[in-house]
Amino acid sequence: MAKQLDYHTLRAIFTRFQDAEPEPKGELDHVNVYTLVVAVALSAQATDAGVNRATKELFKIADTPQKMLDLGEEGLIEHIKTIGLYRNKAKNVIKLSRILVEDYGGEVPNSRAALQSLPGVGRKTANVVLNMWWRQPAQAVDTHIFRVGNRSGIAPGKDVDAVERAIEDHIPADFQLHAHHWLILHGRYHCKARKPMCGTCIIRDLCKFEDKNL
């Protein structure tokens, strides 16, 4: 675990991220906030690309909680059976859809506590939805962010909660909205787990990763 970088270094890093990608986007396809919740819930231990393939046709016929209930668990499974843990995920999607219909009038709530109370929706999923849909500076820490944060010194922490706090406490406020997307994309395409592309990394001179692959 690298030592926490200072404010000025963090500002320089995120300025470079911003210059390279001013408006970073999440890569999960969705058509409204409900389908975003479903897509993120399905993405646990699965790739975004795999989820997008499965939901392409699903969201054409089930883009509201009631339509998902009308489709039913077995109908949902037919669309998502290429995704890992699909049976358990299907159960959770049907359960959360029923709760949204019965308790929230079919609308997705915009509070972290309410989102986390839904089956299959943890803190990471809630933070993704809050950030992507309601543009709150919520930090959804996945394996990419955990790796980048610890390797580089951007947001070191022993667990995902500690990394989330490090981002919130240390990254300059004007970069908070897009911070988790910049870090995810950097980890997915540059600071890879096995073969980090340090030689072409735009922050290599500022990063504290001791085993840089140059």
Side-chain angles (χ1 to χ4, degrees), residues 41 108 110 138:
V108 175
N110 65 348

Side-chain angles (χ1 to χ4, degrees), residues 12-190:
I13 285 173
F14 281 90
T15 297
R16 292 183 191 181
F17 285 155
Q18 185 177 59
D19 289 344
E21 187 65 64
E23 287 287 329
K25 305 293 184 185
E27 296 184 325
L28 282 172
D29 294 338
H30 58 283
V31 297
N32 54 32
V33 64
Y34 170 70
T35 55
L36 176 59
V37 171
V38 172
V40 180
L42 293 176
S43 71
Q45 295 178 283
T47 65
D48 288 359
V51 172
N52 289 341
R53 285 193 294 272
T55 59
K56 182 178 180 180
E57 297 302 319
L58 172 65
F59 291 160
K60 291 179 181 178
I61 59 173
D63 60 355
T64 70
Q66 186 59 58
K67 288 179 182 177
M68 191 67 76
L69 292 176
D70 293 341
L71 178 63
E73 188 175 322
E74 291 304 315
L76 173 56
I77 284 174
E78 284 303 306
H79 287 276
I80 68 168
K81 60 186 177 182
T82 56
I83 300 174
L85 307 175
Y86 67 89
R87 289 195 179 278
N88 190 54
K89 290 177 180 179
K91 284 184 171 64
N92 284 334
V93 168
I94 294 298
K95 287 179 182 177
L96 74 83
S97 299
R98 183 167 290 111
I99 290 171
L100 290 176
V101 168
E102 294 177 354
D103 297 348
Y104 295 97
E107 300 294 324
V108 175
N110 65 348
S111 81
R112 182 184 284 116
L115 286 167
Q116 284 189 246
S117 72
L118 299 173
V121 177
R123 186 177 180 87
K124 187 184 82 169
T125 298
N127 282 349
V128 170
V129 175
L130 291 172
N131 181 272
M132 288 181 63
W133 193 260
W134 283 292
R135 295 184 69 80
Q136 296 183 22
Q139 308 302 331
V141 178
D142 69 352
T143 56
H144 296 300
I145 293 181
F146 186 79
R147 179 175 67 253
V148 173
N150 278 291
R151 272 182 178 172
S152 64
I154 290 173
K158 293 182 179 180
D159 54 39
V160 293
D161 291 336
V163 170
E164 182 180 334
R165 287 194 300 272
I167 295 172
E168 292 173 343
D169 291 347
H170 297 286
I171 291 175
D174 50 324
F175 296 119
Q176 288 276 336
L177 179 61
H178 293 315
H180 98 271
H181 275 133
W182 281 319
L183 293 172
I184 286 173
L185 295 172
H186 190 65
R188 184 173 290 164
Y189 297 112
H190 301 283

